[in-house]
Amino acid sequence: MLWLLFSCMLGYQKEDELTTISIEQTYSTHHYNIDKPLKSSLKIVSLDENNNEVGHGSGNYFKIGGNHFIISASHLVKDDDILWAHDHDNYIMLLLIHNDVDNDIAILVPYRKLENITPINYSLNNKKNILGSSVVYAGFPADINQSVFSGMVSKVSSKGFSMQGFALPGSSGSVVFDNSGKVMGVVSAVKVGYNGLSPFPEMYPTLVYVSRLNQYSRKRMKEMMAKWKSSQSEL
């Protein structure tokens, strides 16, 4: 029993008058907790008139109580584009309920619950001192199927952080988790620069910028979902 407790982390989350206590297994810096990123990861696509995929990004499926929602990147949301969640052999339409362009964060709701992707409990890591922390995410980079990538926080800014890891187009929107399974941010961009030998910019896929989710507490997410449901009932 002592061994079990020493390998776990006791967490507290207070919402209004309710305090939730959770026990979460922790992992060493050499072992990454991939369960939550992998289970909740999904491919977000845009389709042409023949239902062929013409573009895609990534996202993750979460729940707070009976509320189910998807977090992804704002820059995936284009004017008048309808986005779909690729749920095994089905495409489920997504409804945009919040678009934070400044921080590159989008909140979407599936038209119906997804059947083959597991929504995980939304738990936020909003600590400021994260430099050197181990992080992990799952996504759909380029033409590669679902893959898991790990890294380390190498630089921290006011709105996000850089991770030494890997990402390609298609990884955008993937939620980045800490080693206890708490969400930290959303994959937003990779570094682009010049190497001095070519007049054309070069992509550095191992330097990944992540937009933080610090402003998106469980309380705010619940309020956002309640407001959206209320607006739907008025239609």
Side-chain angles (χ1 to χ4, degrees):
M1 183 64 179
L2 285 176
W3 181 86
L4 171 65
L5 289 175
F6 286 144
S7 66
C8 295
M9 180 176 67
L10 194 64
Y12 301 85
Q13 287 188 343
K14 190 167 184 178
E15 301 174 35
D16 301 324
E17 301 300 321
L18 178 65
T19 299
T20 302
I21 300 176
S22 61
I23 298 177
E24 299 171 335
Q25 186 175 357
T26 58
Y27 293 78
S28 72
T29 56
H30 301 290
H31 185 96
Y32 291 91
N33 180 358
I34 68 172
D35 294 343
K36 290 184 177 180
L38 197 58
K39 288 179 180 177
S40 63
S41 174
L42 57 87
K43 187 177 183 181
I44 297 176
V45 304
S46 54
L47 305 174
D48 63 16
E49 61 275 8
N50 297 315
N51 285 338
N52 295 313
E53 294 185 13
V54 293
H56 83 272
S58 302
N60 290 75
Y61 194 27
F62 295 96
K63 65 179 180 179
I64 299 178
N67 296 312
H68 293 69
F69 56 93
I70 292 166
I71 296 179
S72 187
S74 170
H75 71 260
L76 297 180
V77 182
K78 299 178 182 178
D79 294 339
D80 301 324
D81 254 8
I82 298 177
L83 296 178
W84 306 78
H86 192 186
D87 186 21
H88 193 50
D89 291 330
N90 300 314
Y91 290 105
I92 310 302
M93 187 169 68
L94 300 177
L95 307 174
L96 178 68
I97 68 169
H98 178 76
N99 192 16
D100 183 349
V101 177
D102 291 338
N103 294 294
D104 199 20
I105 292 167
I107 313 295
L108 307 105
V109 173
Y111 188 73
R112 63 171 174 79
K113 290 183 180 180
L114 307 183
E115 297 178 356
N116 300 284
I117 303 165
T118 305
I120 62 170
N121 186 51
Y122 183 79
S123 181
L124 177 67
N125 175 343
N126 58 2
K127 295 179 181 178
K128 293 183 179 180
N129 185 19
I130 59 171
L131 189 65
S133 298
S134 298
V135 290
V136 61
Y137 78 89
F140 297 81
D143 58 352
I144 305 172
N145 289 330
Q146 186 185 46
S147 304
V148 179
F149 301 97
S150 60
M152 182 186 73
V153 177
S154 57
K155 184 178 180 180
V156 180
S157 63
S158 59
K159 290 188 176 183
F161 61 86
S162 297
M163 63 175 280
Q164 187 72 28
F166 184 83
L168 285 173
S171 300
S172 292
S174 300
V175 174
V176 177
F177 294 76
D178 68 13
N179 228 18
S180 65
K182 292 186 176 181
V183 303
M184 296 183 69
V186 174
V187 172
S188 179
V190 296
K191 181 177 174 57
V192 176
Y194 295 87
N195 62 15
L197 300 176
S198 170
F200 302 103
E202 181 180 350
M203 183 171 64
Y204 297 86
T206 58
L207 296 175
V208 184
Y209 180 76
V210 180
S211 300
R212 290 213 73 176
L213 285 160
N214 287 7
Q215 302 176 39
Y216 294 86
S217 64
R218 283 176 61 92
K219 181 179 180 181
R220 184 183 179 191
M221 295 300 295
K222 289 171 68 176
E223 291 173 348
M224 194 182 301
M225 294 296 296
K227 183 177 180 180
W228 174 76
K229 287 183 176 180
S230 175
S231 68
Q232 294 300 298
S233 64
E234 294 172 359
L235 296 179

